[in-house]
Each structure stands twice: as structure tokens, then as C-alpha cells.
Amino acid sequence: MTAEALAGALADDGRRRVFAAIVLGAASAAQIAERADLPARTVLTGIRRLTDAGLVTGPDGALAADEASLRASARERRPADDAAPAEDPVLRTFLRAGALVGLPAQRGRRRVLLAHIAQTSFEPGTRYPERAVDEALKPWCAAGGSDHATLRRYLIDEQLLTREHGIYQRP
């Protein structure tokens, strides 16, 4: 079950109330109708839709939430974040969808983040005018975690970029 299917199954107020009644222990359509204060037709339609979506099981006529299916769907598809490699906790913490959400206060962590930005944005040995450097750094700042001038200054301070006569280069 995908997140979209789960959202669709629970999009209707009546189905949410049916599901809540089942989670809270109602095991039959009559119990659900009583606890959720819903008409029988709404309850039966809700049960059918929730069963089709894999949220409810009904072995031997007793309804129950399918917790295994819910757990599996939670693990099945988590949002991908291509800009934050899973192996580095610093990048995972400070990058979202290819943009900075903040800069680390600790110099060592900040250097890890800046090294990633330098390696991703600039080719070694290529000479870049300041305008090109600014344009390369602006997408990193889209989430408001920093600004391109601050990033440029930190890259110079950490010697990840060199600057000579307004021309920048990654050593």
C-alpha cells in the first residue's frame, strides 16, 4: 500500500470514523455504527473500502485493523533525498532536497558540509568568475539555511576554493 492509497482510503470523514471505531475495538458493522454514530450504509461502504485498501481485515467476521500492513506501508516508501547521502549524518541533518536548511556551528561539521558543496558544485582546476560562483551557490540557499555570499566566504576560509583577482578555483 502506498502513502497515496492510505491517504485516499482515509480521505472521507465516514471512513476515518469507521476506521477509528475498528481501532478502538469495534469488531462488527453494528458495533461500528453504534460507536461512530453512522448509518449502516456508510459503515458497510467504509468497511468495504478499508478492506480493499488493506487497512482492515475481517477473519471469521470480526473486523480488526491490519497493523502489519500499516507497518509495511510505512517502511515501503520513505521520501528520497538525493542531496543527503545516507552514510553521512552531517549531510542528512543539514541538507534537504539539495538545499541547506542551516549551517553547523561546529567547524568540523561545517567543513564536511562545505566540502560536499564544493565537490558537487565546482570542478577542480576550472576557473570561475565570481558571478558563476554565486549562481552555483544560490540553489544551495533556496531553503533559507544560508546565503550565497556566506557560503562563498566559508569556502574561501576553509580553502575549499581559492580566489585571486576575482577568479575562483577549486584546488
Side-chain angles (χ1 to χ4, degrees):
M1 170 186 351
T2 65
E4 292 83 14
L6 178 63
L10 296 174
D12 178 67
D13 182 53
R15 287 193 300 267
R16 279 193 307 275
R17 290 170 61 189
V18 168
F19 186 68
I22 293 169
V23 169
L24 293 173
S28 69
Q31 289 176 342
I32 294 168
E34 182 182 323
R35 291 184 185 182
D37 193 29
L38 291 170
R41 182 176 182 177
T42 303
V43 170
L44 293 174
T45 302
I47 291 171
R48 182 180 47 78
R49 291 283 308 267
L50 293 170
T51 303
D52 291 347
L55 292 173
V56 172
T57 59
D60 302 326
L63 298 168
D66 189 351
E67 294 176 16
S69 176
L70 285 170
R71 280 192 203 97
S73 66
R75 287 187 203 108
E76 181 179 305
R77 185 172 169 217
R78 302 216 171 160
D81 191 354
D82 297 335
E87 65 272 3
D88 195 322
V90 173
L91 299 180
R92 228 184 8 247
T93 302
F94 292 99
L95 292 177
R96 293 287 179 275
L100 286 169
V101 293
L103 282 173
Q106 292 180 333
R107 182 175 181 259
R109 290 181 179 196
R110 190 171 51 240
R111 182 160 172 79
V112 167
L113 184 63
L114 292 169
H116 175 75
I117 291 171
Q119 290 170 356
T120 305
S121 303
F122 305 104
E123 292 295 321
T126 303
R127 298 168 52 92
Y128 298 93
E130 187 168 312
R131 183 175 297 203
V133 172
D134 289 347
E135 291 304 313
L137 295 177
K138 282 181 182 177
W140 293 101
C141 305
S146 185
D147 62 274
H148 67 279
T150 301
L151 282 180
R152 188 180 64 225
R153 185 181 69 241
Y154 276 134
L155 288 167
I156 297 297
D157 290 348
E158 293 294 334
Q159 299 176 350
L160 296 166
L161 286 181
T162 60
R163 175 180 56 204
E164 187 175 326
H165 305 294
I167 302 295
Y168 295 75
Q169 187 174 347
R170 184 176 142 215

